[in-house]
Amino acid sequence: MSELVVFKANELAVSRYDLTEHETKLILCGVALLNPTENPTEEQRTVTFTYQQYAQMMGISRENAYKALVKSARDLMTRTVEVKDPLVKGFEIFQWVNYARFTSEHLMLIFSPHIVPYLFHLKKFIKYNLEHVKAFENKYSMRVNEWLLKELTERK
């Protein structure tokens, strides 16, 4: 699982949102499992993984993975992200995901269609290995990491 790479548009990396540590890790796992294609369909915005796979990705037990995923997915359905749009001197607000389905073995998430420009067909973006952030125990550590990566990529 160490080959999972997170790709995000620079605008998303510095956008306004408030996620817990587990919600952030759930989003990052989902983003790392996406296949960034042009104009993705709903099926291509959908990720499915077992609780065991998530446990392995995060280095936790399957039981802890299930508990964290249930709480995080429920809460994530109410969370929004706010992205500035400098072209119109405004911003847009949308949800990260708009559907979650739990079965006895896996979780399926469907990313919102409004997030497509920030996760697919990217021009200016950050990327990092999921393995590098899974040990972070603070939501701010992950945000600072992304902000620093954005600054480094823009200066190259």
Side-chain angles (χ1 to χ4, degrees):
M1 292 290 174
S2 63
E3 67 278 354
L4 292 175
V5 177
V6 175
F7 287 88
K8 281 185 176 181
N10 285 350
E11 298 90 352
L12 191 58
V14 296
S15 63
R16 295 180 72 181
Y17 59 86
D18 186 23
L19 300 176
T20 66
E21 171 198 345
H22 290 292
E23 291 165 354
T24 302
K25 288 179 179 181
L26 174 55
I27 288 292
L28 293 179
C29 283
V31 169
L33 292 168
L34 289 173
N35 181 11
T37 59
E38 292 288 325
N39 303 316
T41 63
E42 182 176 289
E43 185 178 325
Q44 293 165 321
R45 290 184 285 115
T46 302
V47 295
T48 303
F49 50 89
T50 67
Y51 309 125
Q52 185 61 40
Q53 287 172 315
Y54 184 79
Q56 287 176 327
M57 284 188 264
M58 292 297 125
I60 58 179
S61 72
R62 184 187 185 282
E63 183 179 293
N64 287 343
Y66 177 78
K67 288 177 184 175
L69 285 170
V70 169
K71 178 160 180 27
S72 297
R74 279 189 178 132
D75 293 343
L76 196 56
M77 298 304 288
T78 65
R79 305 285 194 214
T80 59
V81 58
E82 181 179 310
V83 179
K84 288 184 181 181
D85 186 349
L87 297 177
V88 295
K89 295 183 181 173
F91 60 93
E92 58 183 334
I93 301 171
F94 49 86
Q95 290 176 295
W96 289 92
V97 297
N98 59 2
Y99 183 80
R101 181 178 189 186
F102 285 86
T103 69
S104 60
E105 292 299 317
H106 67 268
L107 167 64
M108 177 179 74
L109 289 177
I110 301 177
F111 281 87
S112 164
H114 303 289
I115 205 162
V116 166
Y118 307 103
L119 297 178
F120 297 90
H121 46 78
L122 303 173
K123 292 179 177 64
K124 293 182 178 181
F125 60 90
I126 61 169
K127 73 175 190 173
Y128 56 90
N129 192 308
L130 183 61
E131 186 75 19
H132 297 155
V133 297
K134 77 177 190 180
F136 289 173
E137 295 181 4
N138 183 306
K139 65 182 182 178
Y140 301 111
S141 302
M142 292 178 253
R143 293 297 306 265
V144 168
N145 180 62
E146 288 186 352
W147 181 81
L148 289 171
L149 284 172
K150 179 216 169 259
E151 290 298 314
L152 286 171
T153 58
E154 284 187 344
R155 292 178 186 197
K156 284 186 178 179

